[in-house]
Amino acid sequence: ATVGASFGNGIFDLNNLGSMT
Amino acid sequence: FPKFYEKTFVNLNTTRELASGLQGSLSLDYARNHTLTNSSDFKFFDNKEREFTSNNPFTPTTETPLFPTYTSVSATASLTYTIGQQYITRPDGKFYTESKYPRITVLYKKGFKDLLGSNVDYDFVKAEVYQDRISLGLWGYSSFLVGAGKFINNNQLYYPDFKHFAGNISTIFPPNLRKFQYLDFYQFSTNQQYFEAHAEHNFAGFFLNKVPLLRKAKLEEFIGGGYLSSPEKRNYKEFYFGLQRLVLRVSYGFAYDGGRKLTQGFRIS
């Protein structure tokens, strides 16, 4: 099992797919 | 081409093996989202002919906010099952081997209403079947992905939380089975329902290896296609064919809305 947490502030692509192409 | 927004977020997630071949995962997300407008206070060179387009893909010439600043509290649960999963047990752990059968994923995402100041209210379900590199012996190998999803409640959601599709409008792009090679990546996101399918077959040199000198080039022939249907984009299809050498691929393809041709062109990845 894995457990993770993340937090932050940033600029993201509107389609949330993490790639500009 | 890219359109941006700003997000301040907290995410908690866990994944565990519920049974052999069955993975469960749970994610909790809190996010505060803002639209962004493009601006510049310095220019090396002012080209009067060119302007930034806005961060709203639907109004490229005016910076109209696509959504209000809002808070989203959501939870996502998913199960992924690989049919016929086999594994090797060693003293240092359990190792899955490549399965001969597809992998099935079901996912439920809930956008909570009012919880911790949340401004969203939606429920989304999706199912996907995927398999990579199905060997067909001398004929090469195939990969496919088929998925469908629906917002069973879409009382309140904003564009960043829509279901988005992996589009592409560049000639050069990184390859991915999930990607539509000729589809705009912002115009057809949906807050309703969709069905998508992708398939690719790599002949692994089945034809070209029969041509004496050409076989030395070790080229692999591939064909592929994609399909998408949603209220925003009905009956979209694309087909392509090309050649691959190690990680370099060149292809040519065609995209259609129903029977009407939309575009065609080369893709390099």
Side-chain angles (χ1 to χ4, degrees):
Chain A
T2 63
V3 177
S6 62
F7 62 94
N9 170 266
I11 294 175
F12 293 84
D13 194 284
L14 264 181
N15 73 8
N16 281 321
L17 296 167
S19 163
M20 292 182 198
T21 54
Chain B
F1 296 148
K3 307 291 180 192
F4 297 116
Y5 74 108
E6 184 180 351
K7 175 162 75 171
T8 306
F9 66 94
V10 179
N11 164 270
L12 298 172
N13 62 76
T14 179
T15 301
R16 63 180 60 224
E17 183 189 49
L18 301 172
S20 280
L22 181 66
Q23 304 280 335
S25 78
L26 189 63
S27 169
L28 300 173
D29 292 273
Y30 175 94
R32 182 93 176 139
N33 295 335
H34 311 257
T35 53
L36 291 171
T37 53
N38 289 313
S39 68
S40 163
D41 52 15
F42 176 76
K43 291 171 179 173
F44 285 105
F45 172 71
D46 191 6
N47 185 340
K48 301 275 187 239
E49 308 285 300
R50 299 191 71 179
E51 286 295 331
F52 285 116
T53 57
S54 88
N55 263 320
N56 181 336
F58 301 97
T59 62
T61 53
T62 53
E63 288 277 11
T64 323
L66 183 55
F67 53 87
T69 296
Y70 72 97
T71 300
S72 161
V73 178
S74 62
T76 308
S78 70
L79 287 173
T80 298
Y81 180 65
T82 306
I83 300 168
Q85 180 71 64
Q86 295 188 319
Y87 57 90
I88 298 163
T89 313
R90 293 203 307 232
D92 56 333
K94 181 174 176 180
F95 300 87
Y96 281 178
T97 59
E98 192 100 346
S99 175
K100 292 195 203 62
Y101 303 101
R103 191 182 83 192
I104 300 163
T105 299
V106 289
L107 177 147
Y108 192 100
K109 182 174 183 186
K110 183 167 186 67
F112 293 101
K113 184 187 179 185
D114 298 332
L115 181 69
L116 300 170
S118 178
N119 305 120
V120 300
D121 178 10
Y122 63 86
D123 289 87
F124 173 70
V125 290
K126 109 175 165 174
E128 275 182 4
V129 181
Y130 163 81
Q131 193 175 1
D132 193 26
R133 292 186 77 108
I134 305 161
S135 176
L136 299 176
L138 290 175
W139 287 93
Y141 55 90
S142 291
S143 303
F144 75 90
L145 185 150
V146 178
K150 184 175 172 63
F151 284 90
I152 53 177
N153 156 25
N154 61 1
N155 285 340
Q156 189 65 268
L157 74 152
Y158 299 104
Y159 188 85
D161 301 321
F162 282 24
K163 166 63 187 178
H164 303 286
F165 301 99
N168 169 62
I169 53 173
S170 315
T171 303
I172 299 176
F173 69 97
N176 181 339
L177 184 63
R178 195 182 280 276
K179 191 160 282 188
F180 291 102
Q181 300 191 4
Y182 300 89
L183 186 75
D184 185 280
F185 30 72
Y186 301 114
Q187 299 293 325
F188 309 114
S189 300
T190 187
N191 61 356
Q192 298 183 67
Q193 66 273 349
Y194 72 94
F195 171 81
E196 70 176 314
H198 306 265
E200 189 169 297
H201 181 75
N202 184 317
F203 288 97
F206 181 81
F207 299 105
L208 294 177
N209 283 352
K210 294 184 169 53
V211 183
L213 286 165
L214 208 50
R215 66 181 300 167
K216 291 195 198 307
K218 292 182 179 155
L219 296 170
E220 297 174 4
E221 322 82 344
F222 63 86
I223 55 171
Y227 178 83
L228 173 67
S229 202
S230 75
E232 287 76 13
K233 192 71 174 169
R234 292 196 182 279
N235 214 6
Y236 169 85
K237 301 189 251 318
E238 60 177 41
F239 304 99
Y240 56 88
F241 56 91
L243 292 173
Q244 175 172 351
R245 170 73 206 267
L246 300 175
V247 296
L248 181 70
R249 290 158 54 105
V250 178
S251 64
Y252 195 84
F254 304 86
Y256 300 86
D257 253 351
R260 187 173 63 90
K261 188 163 82 187
L262 293 174
T263 185
Q264 65 186 73
F266 281 102
R267 290 292 184 256
I268 298 165
S269 57

